[in-house]
Amino acid sequence: MATLGPSHYSPYPVAVYENILPPPPGKALLFTEVVDEEVAMREAAKAMLTRENPTIFPGPQVIYAWNEEAKEKARLIRELAEVLEAKIIPMVDYRPKYPKIDPEKEINPNHPNLTIWHNNIKACIFVGVHCHYANVALKIIRAETDCFTIALCSNAGHEDAMITLRDQHAEELKKFIEIAKEVKKEVK
Amino acid sequence: MQKLGEELRNRAGQKIVDPEYLLFEAPREKVFMTGSEVVKEAVKRASVDASVSYPITPQSEAAHLIGELWVEGYVGVYFRGESEFGVMSEIAGCSMAGARTITTTSGPGTLRAMENFPMWAGSRLPIQLVLMARGINSPLSIQPDDLEVSFLLDTGCMVWYAENAQELFDMILAGFVVAEQPDVHVPVINVINGFFISHTRESVMLPPDDIALPPYNPYKAPMPPIDMEMPPGRFLRDPFVMKSNYISYATHTSWQFEVRAAIERARPYIKKYLGSLIEEFGDPEADIVLVSTGTGAAQSKEAVRLLEDEGVKARVVKLRTIRPFPINELRQAVKNAKVIFVPEFNVVGWLEREIRRYLYKHSDAEIIGGPRVAGGMTMPPEIIVKDVLNYLGKEVKHVY
Amino acid sequence: MSINIFKINEDLKEFIPQEVIDLEEKATWGNPKRGVMDLPYAKELLEEHSLCAGCPESMAFRYILASLPNPEDTIIVNSTGCTSLVFPHIALHTVHSLFGNQNAVATGIKRTLEWRFPDKVKDVIVLAGDGATVDIGLDCTLQSFFRQEKITTICFDNEVYANTGGQESGTTVQGHVFKMAPKGKQWPKVQMWQLAIDSGCHYVVRMSVSSPKKVEQVVKKAIYVAREVGPTYLHFYTPCILEIGLNSDDGLMEMRDKDKERFKFFEYVSPQAEEVIAKKKEEGLL
Ligand SMILES: Cc1ncc(C[n+]2csc(CCOP(=O)(O)OP(=O)(O)O)c2C)c(N)n1
Ligand code: SF4
Ligand SMILES: [Mg+2]
């Protein structure tokens, strides 16, 4: 279990109540610490390469071919998954699904813990998920699982993730892939 | 947006500039204006897409003036809705569909619209509401009184409070910029005391009107806009999460926390675009502190000047934002306070409650809720002076 | 452009559930001639629902969604009620906001989309229950008609507040005993279709959803007229089989019964609407 939040009777931890805000532009967040992007990328790669059942959760912004950036990101995510030897489990949309999702194949922001429990995922990457849903899901994951969460966000980042990288576009993804290759040589 | 040479222009043909330039660097000219007129001037420079209106004193004039901007081509969508409930739902629709939006209301209008405000926040709509506070029924009063603000504190909207027309102008522009940050993206309610600000003229410094904020980009929002242009194509804004199986209660809880977290994330942006969440006035050494907002803060500043004549050192801590509440700023500012007065324009003392809550175990100062006026009364600085002198056991020489 | 939001990136396709791939490949996009005849072959825009088994609302949903002429650019605004349990599963951009504000929200959306996309047709539809449309939301409903908003409003009239457990509504028939009317309803059923005509709607229909083909025709007409002229209103009988004590296979018979009486097909077409309908017929779209 991750640390339970100080949010009184609610089991849901909220990083901002622990005075953690998203990182400033140009920086990343590693747990509670503001660090350089490279540092965070290294740690993220290490977490994915050393923990059990690492998984990338791509969201709608990268699953669908709605613009050129999305197409390129999808390709890079595929490559990243290969480098990190990670599974890919998509978050195709945000609907609360009945009666329940197939946790083998999908993750849902309303009960992301089901997928993480079912697949015993100990490290994961959120990418291409709309910020609100990433934030909702990351809070639940932090409360309900011991999964190491990494957010690759194209906006300001997600302080409820253990590592958050902000303003992540294709260039940054390429950089992350290169760093992941280096880290892989070191840890494997 | 259209490109003209090297310049980006908005749909009204104004040159698009950085918010920092518009707020801090552009040359400014002095004009003499009412708060209502200032709303028009701010909206004119804000690349606003949509505004919906409904008459109620004292905000009607500001709403009329936004209508003029629509006629002049500065605002894309404008009409009168059927009621404040309808208006706040209509503006929600505009916002969901990707518009930068602003609306205005007062008193009974605020309460009529009430169900919408938490919906705005929960749907992550960065709508701006300019609230020209007036009394609420019953009995009916059109006069200034800010009791209505207390109902808004836990809606999930940001609540800011402007002291004068100048601050209102700057806060409207900053309001869009902060509220629309992807990691904030909740509504912002900019409050002024009705009449005192809306209907009185003061000098205001304005940047030129041929420059404007960059247009809103709905595709950076934390949820897709409702326009069938962004995936996922299957998208309900916002679902009954309770019908999701298993830990559905967790989704609702997490969602509500997320809205409050979004308000917290606004802090650095507010510092950047408003300077600070608070403003301090008077002798920093003084241990008599008047903590207030809006017109209450303006009158408190006047009281500090009068107290100086009496040989009493006092100072003012003005709260620019109530949500997010300037917790650390306030604690720091009243560190050496012996007594704190909280002048307010309502009978319940909602600001006093807030201040007690955040200073509990963080200040040894005595907290005195008052003076309070309501129902349209003005707050002459003398009544603040009188309360302070009484507290100090000094003779009260003023007219009172 | 909008169809692209359903296209899946090739690099990730192998990880995507079949139902989502089917949406891209087997739903009918970009074809205004789509209709209920596609139902057996095409991927439906409704993935699943949690209505009671046999609830006629579920049929209505399927027929309506199959009939939208422009689903890739259609937005549906909903209200609270049994219908809102279906909305998360519709493969379009949809809204649930508050109980009764649906026509106000739709107004804001329609006007903004016209401003943002002046060269594109974006259809905005409201779909809500009788409580939402006729009781709590009547003000917003009628005012959107008065203002001549270019929106199609669809009311699922099950003559009761179903989602809250069977209370009398404005469209309950006089004398019927429901909760909150323990002595039977004291006043007549609201003739909402008539109010819609008097309030400025250009195309108004009252009927049950017993005939899929008919649903398709009126939905298409209503949308085309709303696009070009002004507000349109469809009042559909979708009986609440649960609250009137019918079995899950009784819904259709109940509707056929009422087709002969209070839900007998009724259609109003304004002169401007006539023109649009004639034009669309010429184009082979109706
Ligand atoms: C302001 C408000 N009042 C009451 C409710 C409770 N409520 C939720 S659904 C509903 C009934 C909906 O009835 P109707 O519109 O006829 O739809 P149905 O469920 O019958 O399909 C009610 C009363 C609410 N959600 N919000
Ligand atoms: S309660 Fe009635 S209207 Fe609601 S789903 Fe069941 S049968 Fe349908
Ligand atoms: Mg009903």
Side-chain angles (χ1 to χ4, degrees), chain B residues 204-243:
Chain B
V204 184
M205 302 295 289
L206 298 182
D209 66 0
D210 59 352
I211 57 173
L213 287 181
Y216 172 56
N217 178 1
Y219 303 112
K220 286 183 84 65
M223 290 184 187
I226 297 298
D227 62 3
M228 289 300 284
E229 298 285 336
M230 189 186 209
R234 184 198 311 278
F235 179 62
L236 170 60
R237 190 168 180 165
D238 297 289
F240 278 29
V241 290
M242 67 180 188
K243 285 290 172 178

Side-chain angles (χ1 to χ4, degrees), chain C residues 57 81-82 128-132 155-163 167 169 171 238 240:
Chain C
E57 285 192 352
C82 285
D130 49 303
C155 174
F156 279 8
D157 183 4
N158 54 12
E159 306 191 313
V160 67
Y161 286 92
N163 195 46
Q167 296 87 6
S169 85
T171 61
T238 55
C240 175

Side-chain angles (χ1 to χ4, degrees), chain C residues 193-232:
Chain C
W193 48 91
Q194 194 55 49
L195 279 174
I197 296 169
D198 294 344
S199 306
C201 283
H202 292 269
Y203 180 75
V204 176
V205 164
R206 175 203 62 204
M207 64 182 222
S208 82
V209 297
S210 60
S211 158
K213 215 40 214 157
K214 223 170 194 165
V215 173
E216 177 184 331
Q217 279 300 309
V218 303
V219 165
K220 285 182 171 171
K221 285 183 189 172
I223 290 173
Y224 287 135
V225 171
R227 227 184 245 180
E228 297 191 23
V229 186
T232 56

Side-chain angles (χ1 to χ4, degrees), chain A:
Chain A
M1 273 291 204
T3 45
L4 287 178
S7 305
H8 310 287
Y9 293 110
S10 165
Y12 291 90
V14 180
V16 294
Y17 292 160
E18 297 154 10
N19 292 318
I20 301 162
L21 288 176
K27 293 283 181 179
L29 200 60
L30 173 57
F31 289 98
T32 59
E33 223 182 305
V34 175
V35 297
D36 285 339
E37 193 176 80
E38 288 79 2
V39 175
M41 283 180 173
R42 286 191 68 83
E43 291 301 318
K46 209 195 260 170
M48 291 293 282
L49 286 161
T50 56
R51 290 167 185 262
E52 274 174 88
N53 301 313
T55 304
I56 297 178
F57 299 132
Q61 296 188 53
V62 294
I63 288 173
Y64 301 97
W66 64 297
N67 59 28
E68 290 309 312
E69 190 188 2
K71 290 180 202 167
E72 186 175 11
K73 276 186 164 179
R75 190 182 58 71
L76 291 167
I77 286 162
R78 187 68 197 261
E79 193 183 334
L80 180 66
E82 274 153 30
V83 175
L84 295 174
E85 294 168 29
K87 266 204 281 195
I88 290 179
I89 299 185
M91 186 184 285
V92 291
D93 56 37
Y94 309 126
R95 70 175 158 145
K97 208 170 166 180
Y98 317 139
K100 71 183 183 79
I101 53 152
D102 176 355
E104 199 106 16
K105 294 212 181 73
E106 278 183 276
I107 181 159
N108 185 288
N110 305 295
H111 34 63
N113 49 331
L114 298 185
T115 299
I116 289 171
W117 285 339
H118 181 90
N119 299 292
N120 191 32
I121 296 168
K122 299 294 183 188
C124 72
I125 294 176
F126 272 67
V127 57
V129 178
H130 280 86
C131 294
H132 176 81
Y133 296 95
N135 284 332
V136 166
L138 285 163
K139 288 175 184 49
I140 297 173
I141 293 173
R142 218 181 125 202
E144 302 274 345
T145 80
D146 60 359
C147 182
F148 190 108
T149 52
I150 298 156
L152 302 184
C153 176
S154 59
N155 291 320
H158 303 287
E159 72 283 349
D160 283 298
M162 278 127 225
I163 292 180
T164 185
L165 289 150
R166 58 172 294 163
D167 301 313
Q168 296 295 297
H169 301 285
E171 279 316 300
E172 288 75 16
L173 269 175
K174 284 179 196 158
K175 180 170 147 190
F176 186 30
I177 290 169
E178 290 315 308
I179 290 179
K181 283 181 188 163
E182 285 169 28
V183 175
K184 191 173 178 179
K185 278 185 214 144
E186 293 163 20
V187 301
K188 293 252 161 165

